[in-house]
Amino acid sequence: MKIDHLGIAVPSIEEALAFYRDALGLTVSGYETVEEQGVNVAMLPVGESRVELLEPIAEGTPVSRFLQKRGPGLHHVCYSVPDIEVALERLRSRGARLIDERPRVGAGGHLIAFVHPSASGGVLVELVQESNHPEPSEGEFV
Ligand code: ZN
C-alpha cells in the first residue's frame, strides 16, 4: 500500500497555492472541477503521492460544511490498495464503519470507497484501487 494523496480542504485554492506552490515549491499537475462533489481540485505531486487541494464551489457541499465545522485542514487520507473489495471486506469484518459498502467509480474511472472517520481516529479515509496502467491518476476526488 501507499498513500495515494492527502486531501486538504481550503477556502481558496489560489490562496493556498501561495504556500504550497510558491513557498513550499510544489508544482500543480492539474486542475479539475468535480461538479458531483461540489469542489474545485488542484493536484500537486509529491514523490509517489500527491497533495489534493479541495475548494468548495458552493455552500452546502461536503467540503463547504467541513470548512464551516472544522476550518481548513486535512480532509482525508487516500490509501491505494491492490484490491479494494478485499480491503473493504477486511475492514467490515473488523467492525470499521464504512461510508461506501461497495466500491464506486470515481472520476478517471478509478474504484474508490470511503471509510467513516469514526473508524480511523477522526480522519476520513479514502481507498483507491491501484490502476493497472502507470499514468498518474486524475480521479477519485472528494
Ligand atoms: Zn481524494
Side-chain angles (χ1 to χ4, degrees), residues 54-118:
L54 303 160
E55 167 195 85
I57 57 177
E59 299 282 318
T61 56
V63 171
S64 172
R65 289 198 302 270
F66 177 93
L67 287 170
Q68 279 174 0
K69 206 165 131 193
R70 303 173 65 161
L74 184 65
H75 181 265
H76 63 274
V77 176
C78 179
Y79 298 90
S80 126
V81 297
D83 186 326
I84 198 166
E85 298 273 5
V86 168
L88 284 174
E89 186 48 44
R90 182 185 169 92
L91 286 160
R92 192 180 293 114
S93 72
R94 283 158 178 79
R97 181 173 165 198
L98 304 179
I99 292 174
D100 296 310
E101 291 291 333
R102 307 278 312 142
R104 54 186 159 111
V105 178
H110 300 274
L111 285 177
I112 65 160
F114 286 95
V115 181
H116 196 275
S118 67

Side-chain angles (χ1 to χ4, degrees), residues 5 52 76 126 140-142:
H5 63 268
E52 179 186 78
H76 63 274
E126 178 180 6
E140 88 282 326
F141 306 120
V142 182

Side-chain angles (χ1 to χ4, degrees), residues 2 4 29 43 45 48 50 110 131 133-140:
K2 63 171 190 167
D4 187 81
S29 66
M43 291 305 250
E48 64 176 8
R50 294 167 292 161
H110 300 274
S131 60
H133 44 97
E135 44 96 41
S137 60
E138 292 291 324
E140 88 282 326

Side-chain angles (χ1 to χ4, degrees), residues 10 38 42 44 71 111 130 141:
V10 298
L44 298 91
L111 285 177
E130 287 169 11
F141 306 120

